Amino acid sequence: MKLLFICSQNRWRSLTAERLLDNHPTCQARSAGTEPGARVRVTAGHLGWAEVVLVMERRHADILRQKFPEELAGKRVINLRIPDKFQFMSHLLIELLRERLREQLAVDV
């Protein structure tokens, strides 16, 4: 399964999610951000690659739907509801990501 994680800056939340799935046996993960200053800014190519798009907040999904309506057509978009208050690879962030991935996709990490 190809998973694309989206947050604002692609520095803490989505990048942690991507790293968490490094070497996962059944999932491939990439990450990007919605803001102009993002480490990696989301493109149509990212969305075309992904089977499932996982956003950290509802506003990320809103931005994607506004900017990339065709690329999101038929794609599953999941809001993980993870606020922007965690540092990269924070223990609490990792636990929250594991819990939400189990709940939403039955993926164990």
Side-chain angles (χ1 to χ4, degrees):
M1 185 175 0
K2 294 178 181 176
L3 307 176
L4 177 63
F5 292 93
I6 301 290
C7 69
S8 300
Q9 295 292 327
N10 186 228
R11 297 186 196 286
W12 297 348
R13 296 175 288 172
S14 61
L15 187 57
T16 297
E18 180 181 356
R19 293 293 176 261
L20 191 59
L21 287 163
D22 280 350
N23 303 312
H24 192 276
T26 61
C27 296
Q28 296 176 46
R30 293 183 183 170
S31 65
T34 58
E35 298 300 315
R39 188 184 70 82
V40 174
R41 193 162 183 203
V42 65
T43 65
H46 289 110
L47 296 167
W49 171 85
E51 294 173 324
V52 179
V53 178
L54 300 106
V55 299
M56 299 297 158
E57 302 172 45
R58 190 185 81 179
R59 68 186 181 96
H60 299 131
D62 293 343
I63 291 168
L64 293 177
R65 286 187 183 103
Q66 181 181 18
K67 192 169 181 180
F68 302 104
E70 293 89 27
E71 291 83 358
L72 281 181
K75 298 256 183 197
R76 185 170 175 199
V77 178
I78 298 171
N79 180 359
L80 296 175
R81 302 174 327 276
I82 298 177
D84 190 9
K85 66 177 189 179
F86 300 99
Q87 297 290 318
F88 177 66
M89 296 303 285
S90 151
H91 176 72
L92 291 174
L93 175 56
I94 289 170
E95 288 307 310
L96 197 51
L97 285 165
R98 284 183 171 143
E99 174 186 312
R100 300 283 161 79
L101 288 170
R102 265 192 307 274
E103 288 172 359
Q104 297 292 330
L105 296 172
V107 169
D108 282 319
V109 288

